[in-house]
Structure formats: structure tokens, C-alpha cells
Amino acid sequence: MVSATVARNIAGIFGNVISLFLFLSPIPTFMKIYKMKKVEEYKADPYLATVLNCALWVFYGLPIVHPDSLLVITINATGLAIELFYLAIFFYFSPTPRKMKVGLWLIGEMVFVGIVATCTLLLFHTHNQRSSFVGIICVIFVSLMYIAPLTIMSKVIKTKSVKYMPFSLSLANFLNGVIWVIYALIKFDLFILIGNGLGTVSGIVQLIIYACYYKTTPKDDEEEENVSKANSQLQLSGNHGQAKRVSA
């Protein structure tokens, strides 16, 4: 019979794979930016938010905060590297004012994570205290990140078209949430459970909306640029890896 530890590791590995897919989903957007040599109206906000999210979850998974969370570290560290690469491309092709904005936000995020780390290590002295403090902060940011997909879902309902909400990303968000919920339940982790529970609910709602409006979507109405922007917002919801993705 498979032990709880093995089952948890299997769930975590599957979660890493699905979360990686979500992290890589914006590649078409950045290929387009690279070809155009400019960012046009694309925004760095989703990637800046994901960088902060991943950095916090990496810290949460460290042995000094929450032991036995290697798979939380692997996916969020990977996601952090990928998002920083996206931002490097965005930064390179942005006009000076937007470069300054991205740079200042990144500096602000580093300072914030540094403050969280310092407070955690100086003010709390047990794993339970440290994981609770950092976990609460992570859940707060994960919850805020789910605001982005809500705007896309409302747009789908308003336009009666799912062209702004790709099925593959909606399904991946749902599966990502489910896998990490299982991971969190095998060896109970309240914070990973909450973050990915929200992701599961968000994924279910997206799939229901997709089923309701798929048939009313104009087959000949393809606005690829808008779809790419929508992908960025949907990708944002899935990246807590938490490993969410995630929020794990």
C-alpha cells in the first residue's frame, strides 16, 4: 500500500507539471513582443504579481519556515525564474517610462519580501509560528490574484463569447487546483489548501461559463491580440503553484 508520503510526493509532482504548463502559457505573447520589438499595450502587471507570489511561496517552503515542502519550492522557484525572464523581455522592449515602472515595482517587491523574511526570522521562533505568519500573507496575495480572472469571466458573460477564455487554460487551472488540494489534504496544510481551494472553485466556474457560452461564440471572430491579453490574466490565476500554483 502506498504511504502518505509517497502519495503526497506523487500529487506534488503532477502539480509541478501542470503548474509548469501554466507558467509557460504566456510564451506566445512574448514571442509576439519579440517579433514586434515593442510591448504596445501589453501590461507587466500579471508577471509582476506572479513574481511576488512565487517569491513568497518559495520562502514559505524553506525548511526554516515549513519543513518537508521541497515540491513547493521547486515549482515556485521555477515559476519565479520564468516570470523574471518574461519581465526581462518586457523591460528590454519597453519605453523608458515603463522600464522605470517595472524596475521600481521589482525593487519594491524585493524590499517587501525582505521585510517579511526578516520579521519571520526575528519575531517567530517555531515552524508553526513562522509557517502561519508567512502562510497568511501568501493566502492574502493569492486571493487578490483571483480578481484578474473575474474580469475575463465577466467579459465572457457580457459578450457571450469564450474567445477571451481558452479552454485549455481553464482546464489547467482547475486540474492544478485539484492536484494541490489533494497534496494539501494528504499532509494537512491549511494555507496551500485555501489557496488551491480558491483555484479549484475558480476553475470550476470558468469551465461552467465555457460550457454555457461555447456554442454562442462566433466561429469567424478571432481577435488574437485580445486573446493573448486574456491569457495573461488567466495565467495569473493559475500560478500559485502553490505548490500553487501554486498557491503551494
Side-chain angles (χ1 to χ4, degrees), residues 4-194:
T5 299
V6 172
R8 183 171 180 261
N9 287 338
I10 292 174
I13 291 171
F14 274 107
N16 270 240
V17 172
I18 297 174
S19 296
L20 180 61
F21 167 77
L22 289 169
F23 282 125
L24 295 176
S25 61
I27 286 179
T29 296
F30 284 90
M31 288 181 64
K32 182 176 293 187
I33 290 175
Y34 179 78
K35 290 177 181 178
M36 295 187 302
K37 308 300 182 184
K38 54 185 177 181
V39 297
E40 292 193 328
E41 296 303 314
Y42 290 105
K43 296 183 180 297
D45 302 18
Y47 313 103
L48 289 168
T50 306
V51 163
L52 179 58
N53 182 64
C54 288
L56 288 172
W57 282 107
V58 167
F59 182 61
Y60 175 84
L62 292 178
I64 56 176
V65 177
H66 197 270
D68 302 320
S69 299
L70 176 62
L71 291 172
V72 174
I73 297 175
T74 55
I75 187 56
N76 284 289
T78 300
L80 179 61
I82 292 172
E83 299 299 320
L84 287 173
F85 177 72
Y86 291 155
L87 285 173
I89 296 175
F90 192 94
F91 185 89
Y92 184 80
F93 292 110
S94 293
T96 301
R98 298 184 75 176
K99 286 181 178 179
M100 292 184 63
K101 178 183 176 182
V102 171
L104 289 173
W105 269 105
L106 281 175
I107 292 172
E109 290 181 354
M110 288 188 291
V111 171
F112 178 75
V113 173
I115 291 173
V116 171
T118 301
C119 291
T120 300
L121 299 178
L122 295 182
L123 301 180
F124 304 101
H125 306 290
T126 67
H127 288 141
N128 184 57
Q129 291 175 334
R130 290 175 175 178
S131 61
S132 295
F133 176 68
V134 180
I136 289 172
I137 294 174
C138 289
V139 167
I140 290 173
F141 278 94
V142 165
S143 300
L144 293 175
M145 289 177 71
Y146 283 108
I147 294 175
L150 289 178
T151 62
I152 297 299
M153 286 186 270
S154 65
K155 189 166 190 177
V156 170
I157 295 172
K158 182 178 180 180
T159 62
K160 300 186 185 304
S161 171
V162 298
K163 65 185 178 184
Y164 302 105
M165 192 172 72
F167 176 76
S168 59
L169 278 180
S170 296
L171 179 61
N173 279 328
F174 169 69
L175 294 176
N176 184 68
V178 169
I179 288 295
W180 286 110
V181 164
I182 294 172
Y183 175 92
L185 288 174
I186 293 174
K187 184 178 179 181
F188 190 73
D189 188 313
L190 177 62
F191 305 108
I192 292 178
L193 179 62
I194 293 175

